[in-house]
Amino acid sequence: IGSSKGTSILDIIQGIEKVTGEKAKLEFEKAPASFVQFSSLDTKRFTDEFSITPLVELDNGLKEMLEYVKTSE
């Protein structure tokens, strides 16, 4: 769902590296002028409508996803 706080793609890549124990090969390119520099999802409406607060932090979610993928192969 989201956390109402911004997370960069680099943060996500570093989290995946931490969970897998493998280093990603990264290539950086200049972003186009129209590229959105920052975006953050507001989860207030979801929380209000469903009375559920997302509880899984990014690192734990990545670990759970990796375990799911491993068991699904």
Side-chain angles (χ1 to χ4, degrees):
I1 294 289
S3 64
S4 295
K5 60 183 176 183
T7 302
S8 72
I9 293 172
L10 192 55
D11 290 337
I12 294 170
I13 292 169
Q14 290 170 340
I16 293 170
E17 289 175 334
K18 183 178 174 184
V19 169
T20 62
E22 297 183 26
K23 200 79 169 138
K25 180 182 176 189
L26 305 177
E27 294 181 23
F28 295 91
E29 294 187 19
K30 186 176 179 182
S34 61
F35 186 76
V36 176
Q37 293 295 321
F38 180 82
S39 177
S40 178
L41 176 67
D42 181 0
T43 59
K44 184 178 178 349
R45 181 175 174 194
F46 173 85
T47 302
D48 289 348
E49 289 190 22
F50 296 100
S51 300
I52 299 171
T53 303
L55 300 175
V56 179
E57 294 291 327
L58 179 62
D59 286 343
N60 289 336
L62 291 172
K63 287 177 191 174
E64 290 177 18
M65 182 185 69
L66 179 62
E67 288 303 315
Y68 173 79
V69 169
K70 284 182 176 179
T71 59
S72 297
E73 293 179 344

